[in-house]
Amino acid sequence: MELRQLEYFVAVAEESHFTRAAKRMHVAQSGLSSAIRSLERELGASLFIRSTRQVELTPAGRALLVEARRALSATDAARDAVAAVQGLIRGNLAVGSLQCVHVVNVPHVLARFHAAHPGVEIQLRQGGSRHLIDQVKAGRLDIALVARPLRPTDDVLIRSLASEPLVLACGLEHPLAGRTQVSLADLSREPFVDFQPDWGSRDLVDSVIGDRRIAFEVNDVHSLLDLVTFGLGVALVPQSFSVKTDKAQFIGLAEPVPAWETVVVTSESPSAAATALLDTVAAARSGRC
């Protein structure tokens, strides 16, 4: 089994099409198809269900995809390690991030990293915490800035950046707006605005007050706060959201509840570029950049 075969296989799996995969890999389709057939013969299993319009992974193909991505990621890490010994950091760095990471100015950190390591091509993807962690596991992301997962997570390293309390967000005219504290019992009949289920804050709030009516489900912070501002629902959010608007009231909770924690996630053997970005994040947190 050759690395080139695995690269071709991953390209076909992600494109769901041999022609598009061949264009992506800058090879003739016949050569790519031949490499895939050779891989299937070597493994003794069909990897794709072929049709005239697209291809789909077989169960064997789905199993191989996870390991192929890990193998290719490990190969990239090996190349990076050699480059690092030679005093060079180059290659690609795929970064995942929540939309709002209060404890780190992500654009600033990426700009500082790029200035220090211009040979590294940076990619940034935003998404929910669970999805981004899965992308790190699969080798599609090198590093992710997310909320700490509630359940133990294998095959990744998790480093804490900061934690902050959850607070209630409500409209300025809401009956609870004049309180200095609210209890969870006060919220039993309130309609909620919340994020989609793969967001880390949604998981945390579900663990705090799971029996509630979610009237509005959104996928960005500003939509959530706008809906709260117009009195369409309340939300439990990290305290740092309070700096984003003065058109909502933010109130502390009477009961002790788990804190919102921002973490950085990498593979168990992060690449040289990922390690360098971790150093840049640490420098930004300490005020050194």
Side-chain angles (χ1 to χ4, degrees), residues 46-59:
S46 296
L47 301 175
F48 296 103
I49 301 171
R50 296 161 171 83
S51 69
T52 55
R53 293 187 176 181
Q54 66 175 24
V55 294
E56 297 180 4
L57 286 168
T58 64

Side-chain angles (χ1 to χ4, degrees), residues 213-230:
R213 178 166 67 91
I214 301 176
F216 300 90
E217 193 173 84
V218 299
N219 61 5
D220 72 279
V221 173
H222 296 291
S223 292
L224 180 144
L225 293 176
D226 285 346
L227 290 165
V228 167
T229 294
F230 283 104

Side-chain angles (χ1 to χ4, degrees), residues 19-79:
T19 301
R20 290 196 296 267
K23 289 181 179 179
R24 168 174 155 181
M25 300 304 297
H26 306 290
V27 297
Q29 182 177 336
S30 59
L32 182 141
S33 298
S34 176
I36 295 297
R37 287 195 298 270
S38 176
L39 181 60
E40 289 177 321
R41 285 195 300 271
E42 182 176 348
L43 294 174
S46 296
L47 301 175
F48 296 103
I49 301 171
R50 296 161 171 83
S51 69
T52 55
R53 293 187 176 181
Q54 66 175 24
V55 294
E56 297 180 4
L57 286 168
T58 64
R62 288 194 293 271
L64 177 61
L65 182 60
V66 174
E67 299 305 325
R69 284 173 171 158
R70 286 178 178 171
L72 294 174
S73 178
T75 301
D76 290 340
R79 293 193 184 102

